[in-house]
């Protein structure tokens, strides 16, 4: 099973259906999309010597060519190595070299970064904005994708690496298919008239969601800006209708702010799938109040892409449920192909209600890390993936996450989960963003420090925030210090860099 078969099928079943759009402009229908993918694959094989199983790096910004290249790579049985275009050239070069890529596909706007990357001149490159590319995609390719086994490598997904070197997560065609089936079963149905909007990097979550949309012959829309602009997203929703997207929680917040400012409710946006980082209860309630029931939450990680648990649209809407807020603060039950359990420090399964490390097992879980058997055996035990996340399951199977295990704060011998402190502070109207971290302390071992970004013109201070915390969390969990910052340091994926905050506080 080759994931490119889905493109070949849609090209047969819906040849004239619009497939690739830049903004509202249709660049290709499904027949053209598939023909281009086959031709790009043939070009890579003939002119760069790419063979089945070879890796091809993609260091390029979002464009419709991105999807042509991904499918071109799969068409000839090779594996894609998508690299976030916001990375430094050196980081991108490191990933491409680590993967042993035969070739790196660039876009004009990453050429400069690549030129400074220090990559060996022997590593071939091709720009999707070059005449050469535009000519090659009009060539001839194989009529059908090369046959692949479900365990064959399809996507080498480099982890975001908030600390240390990123690791290459090996995702097979079978993993991607399992993920896509879960999209249909646990996240959303897809109809041919729907559109997937790539407002986040195609190299990550947003790009992974192309598959269910290719399968159903739906539209793929790359915004003109190539990235996330809240007003542009709202406009595309209105113009194109039936638009779905993947958004990190920070993007959801900005979308909600933009919708409020315009007096809109996100008309035309069918489903906003959010995840990739904590969504605080206060924020999702605000989002639903402003934009209505358009939200689905997923919890996953590169190692089980987009597929550990999901909180469906239905659960977002069950406002009459006596446990509604508890449900909404959870990341939902396990997705269809996944089993989830909680274990203690020795790896023993815990009971419902007990807090420990989240583990996941099932068809979406990676094959392992590329060229890294030690990291693989640390992460996978009897098929169970140790996620490094801390959480608890309730008796009905809903998972509530606390934190990454390394972020748990131990103060006076007691575990404090920063997320609980952050949830409490975020319910204060003056608090825009917050991150709670542990800072070494001679008396307590660690103390909780809240790094707070206030709303513009807000006047809250330590006393106000302290009193606010006292109203909702235990006294011992309250931050012992507040630090006010203009913004929180985030990595290229929008994740708060707690390591950096800890370093800042240690100075
Ligand atoms: P990545 O592999 O870069 O996608 O990062 C995965 C990590 O992001 C997970 O291990 C979690 O710590 C976090 N994460 C993903 N989805 C969620 C979610 N819905 N809620 C809270 N944290 C999440």
């Amino acid at each position: 099973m080759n994931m490119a078969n889905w493109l070949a099928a849609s090209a047969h079943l819906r040849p004239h259906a619009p497939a690739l759009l830049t903004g509202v402009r249709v660049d290709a229908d499904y027949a053209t999309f598939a023909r281009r993918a086959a031709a790009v694959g043939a070009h890579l094989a003939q002119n760069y010597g790419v063979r089945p199983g070879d890796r091809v790096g993609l260091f390029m910004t979002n464009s419709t060519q991105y999807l042509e290249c991904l499918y071109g790579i799969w068409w000839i049985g090779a594996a894609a190595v998508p690299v976030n275009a916001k990375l430094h050239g050196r980081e991108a070069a490191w990933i491409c070299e680590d993967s042993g890529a035969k070739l790196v596909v660039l876009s004009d706007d990453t050429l400069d970064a690549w030129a400074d990357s220090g990559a060996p001149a022997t590593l071939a490159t091709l720009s999707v904005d070059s005449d050469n590319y535009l000519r090659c995609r009009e060539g001839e390719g194989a009529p059908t994708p090369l046959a692949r086994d479900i365990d064959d490598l399809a996507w080498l997904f480099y982890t975001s690496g908030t600390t240390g070197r990123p690791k290459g997560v090996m995702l097979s065609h079978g993993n991607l298919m399992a993920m896509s089936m879960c999209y249909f079963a646990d996240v959303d149905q897809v109809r041919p008239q729907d559109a997937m909007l790539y407002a986040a990097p195609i190299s990550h979550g947003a790009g992974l969601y192309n598959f269910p949309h290719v399968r159903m012959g739906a539209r793929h829309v790359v915004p003109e800006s190539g990235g996330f602009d809240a007003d542009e997203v709202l406009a595309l929703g209105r113009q194109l209708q039936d638009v779905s997207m993947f958004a990190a929680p920070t993007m959801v917040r900005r979308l909600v702010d933009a919708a409020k400012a315009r007096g809109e409710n996100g008309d035309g946006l069918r489903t906003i799938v959010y995840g990739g980082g904590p969504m605080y209860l206060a924020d999702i309630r605000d989002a639903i109040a402003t934009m209505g029931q358009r939200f689905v939450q997923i919890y996953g990680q590169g190692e089980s892409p987009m597929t550990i648990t999901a909180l469906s649209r239905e659960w977002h809407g069950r406002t009459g449920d006596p446990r509604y807020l508890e449900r909404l603060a959870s990341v939902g039950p396990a997705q269809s192909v996944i089993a989830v359990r909680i274990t203690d420090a020795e790896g023993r399964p815990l009971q419902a209600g007990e807090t420990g490390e989240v583990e996941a097992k099932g068809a979406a879980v990676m094959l392992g890390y590329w060229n890294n058997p030690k990291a693989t055996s640390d992460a996978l035990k009897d098929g169970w993936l140790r996620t490094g996340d801390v959480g608890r399951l309730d008796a009905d199977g809903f998972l509530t996450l606390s934190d990454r295990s390394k972020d748990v704060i131990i103060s006076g011998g007691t575990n404090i989960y920063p997320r609980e402190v952050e949830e409490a502070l975020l319910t204060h109207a003056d608090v825009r963003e917050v991150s709670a971290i542990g800072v070494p302390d001679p008396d307590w071992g660690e103390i909780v420090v809240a790094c707070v970004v206030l709303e513009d013109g807000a006047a809250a201070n330590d006393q106000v925030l302290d009193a606010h915390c006292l109203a909702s969390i235990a006294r011992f969990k309250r931050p012992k210090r507040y630090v006010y910052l203009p913004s929180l340091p985030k990595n290229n994926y929008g994740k708060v860099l707690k390591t950096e905050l800890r370093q800042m506080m240690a100075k």
Side-chain angles (χ1 to χ4, degrees), residues 157-161 204 249 274-279 297-303 308-309 331 387-389 401 403-404 419 493 495:
F157 182 104
Y158 275 80
T159 55
S160 48
H204 276 68
Y274 65 92
M279 170 62 94
Q297 176 170 203
I298 61 99
Y299 158 55
Q301 55 178 204
E303 290 80 351
I308 299 178
T309 65
V331 291
T387 62
D389 291 315
L401 292 178
D403 290 281
R404 299 286 300 161
R419 170 115 187 226
Y493 307 86
K495 286 186 206 280

